[in-house]
């Protein structure tokens, strides 16, 4: 692999211990994937932030990198942490967990990482533009950046994303290269899809059907006339979760789609398949919902405004978490949405989410509009799930 003199110096340790380690990680990755050189990146998003996932070994690695002089060379933000960094007590997070989570965030802060903890960095100022090379780790955000923004990122792991932040580089392979961004599967959807849960179901069905392919296809989706930012972020999350997709093109909507003609191989998605997907996530006919969560991926300000309208003058009867990025929560504060929402008894869970918070086994049945949240809440947190439209989920909280 060809390195520039500066990259070679990083590898030799001339820029400090942590930068050396970071360049070693990237050079190893580049060699494994056959990259010929490094690319400069302009934006990084780092996963592996919740202490629930990291544990002591992960915290130790971060502390060593911070003590080894690691400093971010480009804009870098974080994936959700295991708790609301200000409001963890109200959410029932244990004090010993909170202390460890604070040590994790402190290690990132010492490395000059912007400690905004969100899976929607594109809603909070970490917004790459078309064609920009970036190194993001959160799967739904990677899919959004590649597909919707037309930026270029592989699906990084926590250590490789941190390494990219500390060096400002990523190996040139995978989705950074033109030839790997060509669609090779025409996907036809039913007309008239509406709402985050329907787009989540679409991602599930495409993802399920992609399992049958030897190498992961890049979908070229046709049949969607219009989609909101929120519907697209939902689709990205579920397609990344159920199909491992990091890129798709959507005719008339995503920026690279017009460069290509429809691939010959065809996948048809039927209404019946979408209904089956929705049905599969509705696992609790008998038991009562005891946990309601919206914000997977993290909510936009428009979605929070909608919740405020639906909750105005009402009282919630269940634990209801509204998960979003701290800067978006601050917008909600200024607009008065927070006051309306909190007056109903619903709780903001900024910086975190229902999947990465340490709430395994704490609830029995969770209602949500997110196919991704259902996948992980059922798997990691052992909840049953109820999967409904956004508005129906809010109504579930007050019923
Ligand atoms: Fe984000 Fe947590 Fe969902 S990180 S995409 S809200 S699982």
């Amino acid at each position: 692999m060809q390195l520039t003199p500066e990259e070679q110096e990083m590898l030799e340790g001339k820029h400090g211990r942590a930068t050396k380690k970071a360049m070693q990680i990237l050079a190893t990755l580049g060699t494994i994937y056959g990259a010929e050189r490094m690319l400069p990146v302009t934006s990084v998003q780092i996963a592996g932030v919740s202490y629930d996932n990291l544990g002591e070994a992960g915290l130790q690695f971060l502390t060593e990198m911070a003590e080894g002089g690691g400093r971010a060379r480009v804009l870098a933000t974080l994936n959700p942490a295991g708790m609301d960094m200000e409001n963890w007590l109200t959410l029932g997070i244990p004090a010993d967990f909170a202390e460890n989570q604070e040590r994790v965030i402190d290690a990132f802060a010492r490395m000059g990482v912007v400690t905004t903890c969100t899976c929607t960095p594109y809603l909070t100022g970490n917004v790459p533009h078309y064609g920009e090379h970036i190194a993001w780790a959160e799967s739904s955000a990677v899919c959004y950046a590649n597909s919707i923004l037309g930026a270029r990122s592989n699906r990084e792991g926590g250590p490789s994303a941190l390494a990219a932040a500390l060096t400002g580089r990523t190996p040139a392979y995978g989705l950074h290269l033109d030839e790997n961004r060509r669609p090779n599967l025409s996907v036809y959807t039913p007309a008239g899809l509406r709402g985050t849960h329907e787009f989540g179901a679409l991602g599930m069905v495409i993802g399920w059907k992609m399992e049958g392919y030897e190498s992961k296809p890049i979908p070229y989706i046709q049949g969607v006339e219009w989609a909101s930012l929120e519907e697209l972020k939902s689709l990205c999350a579920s397609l990344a979760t159920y199909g491992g997709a990091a890129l798709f093109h959507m005719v008339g909507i995503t920026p690279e789609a017009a460069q290509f003609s429809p691939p010959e191989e065809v996948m048809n998605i039927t209404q019946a398949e979408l209904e089956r997907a929705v049905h599969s996530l509705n696992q609790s006919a008998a038991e009562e919902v005891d946990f309601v969560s919206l914000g997977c991926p993290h909510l936009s300000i428009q979605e929070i405004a909608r919740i405020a309208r639906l909750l105005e003058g009402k009282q919630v009867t269940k634990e209801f978490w509204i998960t979003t990025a701290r800067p978006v929560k601050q917008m909600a504060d200024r607009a008065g949405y927070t006051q309306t929402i909190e007056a109903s008894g619903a709780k903001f869970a900024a910086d975190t989410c229902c999947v990465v918070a340490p709430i395994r086994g704490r609830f029995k049945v969770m209602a949500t509009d997110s196919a991704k949240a259902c996948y992980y809440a059922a798997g990691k947190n052992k909840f049953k799930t109820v999967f409904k439209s956004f508005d129906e989920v809010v109504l579930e909280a007050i019923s």
Side-chain angles (χ1 to χ4, degrees):
M1 192 177 181
Q2 200 66 40
L3 296 182
T4 64
E6 191 189 18
E7 290 158 2
Q8 191 60 41
E9 280 182 12
M10 291 184 200
L11 195 58
E12 288 164 7
K14 292 185 179 148
H15 295 258
R17 213 164 66 229
T19 312
K20 177 179 180 175
K21 177 88 197 153
M23 189 48 87
Q24 282 172 337
I25 292 171
L26 298 178
T28 306
L29 258 181
T31 305
I32 291 169
Y33 288 103
E36 290 175 0
R37 62 193 173 99
M38 294 286 173
L39 288 166
V41 292
T42 47
S43 159
V44 171
Q45 195 255 358
I46 303 169
V49 178
S50 171
Y51 183 77
D52 202 36
N53 301 335
L54 277 174
E56 235 2 77
L59 174 55
Q60 180 77 26
F61 171 73
L62 293 174
T63 307
E64 277 166 21
M65 294 300 267
E67 285 171 359
R71 293 292 173 273
R73 290 172 179 243
V74 294
L75 173 63
T77 57
L78 296 175
N79 217 28
M83 62 184 200
D84 186 310
M85 296 306 297
E86 293 177 10
N87 198 27
W88 52 270
L89 206 52
T90 317
L91 300 177
I93 304 296
D96 57 337
F97 180 91
E99 196 181 309
N100 286 325
Q101 185 63 70
E102 275 161 7
R103 287 165 62 210
V104 169
I105 299 300
D106 180 58
F108 281 120
R110 281 192 283 152
M111 288 188 272
V113 173
V114 177
T115 57
T116 296
C117 302
T118 183
C119 48
T120 56
Y122 47 88
L123 297 180
T124 62
N126 189 355
V127 200
H129 61 66
Y130 184 86
E132 210 167 345
H133 293 283
I134 63 172
W136 284 15
E138 155 56 32
S139 63
S140 66
V142 171
C143 190
Y144 193 96
N146 276 314
S147 312
I148 314 302
L149 304 178
R152 297 181 170 214
S153 181
N154 288 318
R155 190 164 156 173
E156 302 294 342
S160 66
L162 177 62
L166 302 187
T167 59
R169 305 289 199 284
T170 198
Y173 72 95
L175 294 176
H176 291 285
L177 308 180
D178 287 346
E179 62 267 30
N180 297 325
R181 299 180 67 87
R182 299 190 67 78
N184 51 7
L185 178 67
S186 282
V187 176
Y188 290 95
T189 71
L193 289 174
R194 284 289 167 271
T196 44
H197 79 304
E198 289 194 8
F199 276 81
L202 175 64
M204 278 179 83
V205 176
I206 300 174
W208 280 341
K209 294 176 96 163
M210 276 169 55
E211 290 291 303
Y213 289 79
E214 210 165 290
S215 65
K216 223 166 270 315
I218 296 180
Y220 186 77
I221 302 175
Q222 296 155 79
V224 176
E225 306 89 25
W226 189 84
S228 68
L229 180 155
E230 291 76 14
E231 289 165 338
L232 292 170
K233 81 176 160 69
S234 176
L235 172 63
C236 288
S238 79
L239 196 47
T241 300
Y242 292 87
L247 168 66
F248 64 86
H249 303 286
M250 189 181 274
V251 176
I253 292 180
T254 65
E256 285 167 77
Q259 296 172 21
F260 305 108
S261 39
E264 278 176 19
E265 185 150 6
V266 168
M267 176 194 281
N268 287 307
I269 307 294
T270 66
Q271 195 61 44
E273 288 171 322
L274 294 175
E275 281 162 20
R276 212 169 310 135
V278 172
H279 183 70
S280 74
L281 299 181
N282 279 302
Q283 300 161 341
S284 175
E287 287 170 286
E288 282 272 307
V289 169
D290 58 351
F291 181 43
V292 178
S293 182
L294 283 173
C296 174
H298 273 173
L299 294 169
S300 68
I301 190 67
Q302 293 94 322
E303 289 176 306
I304 293 175
R306 177 83 192 145
I307 296 172
R309 273 198 296 279
L310 291 167
L311 288 183
E312 182 135 38
K314 312 265 178 17
Q315 282 298 306
V316 302
T317 57
K318 291 148 192 153
E319 179 88 359
F320 183 8
W321 283 18
I322 290 159
T323 64
T324 192
R326 172 86 38 206
V328 175
K329 157 82 166 48
Q330 284 162 346
M331 282 196 268
D333 295 346
R334 291 188 165 212
Y337 304 144
T338 303
Q339 292 81 342
T340 307
I341 288 170
E342 290 183 339
S344 77
K347 296 172 183 171
F348 270 91
D351 317 310
T352 189
C353 78
C354 65
V355 171
V356 298
I359 52 173
R360 206 166 296 124
R362 193 165 126 195
F363 304 102
K364 284 198 173 66
V365 186
M366 178 179 82
T368 181
D369 70 330
S370 164
K372 174 174 179 174
C374 288
Y375 180 91
Y376 286 105
K380 174 177 179 270
N381 286 339
K382 311 291 175 213
F383 304 156
K384 287 185 179 160
T385 58
V386 166
F387 180 60
K388 294 182 170 184
S389 74
F390 188 90
D391 285 11
E392 285 170 336
V393 171
V394 178
L395 297 178
E396 181 70 52
I398 54 179
S399 67

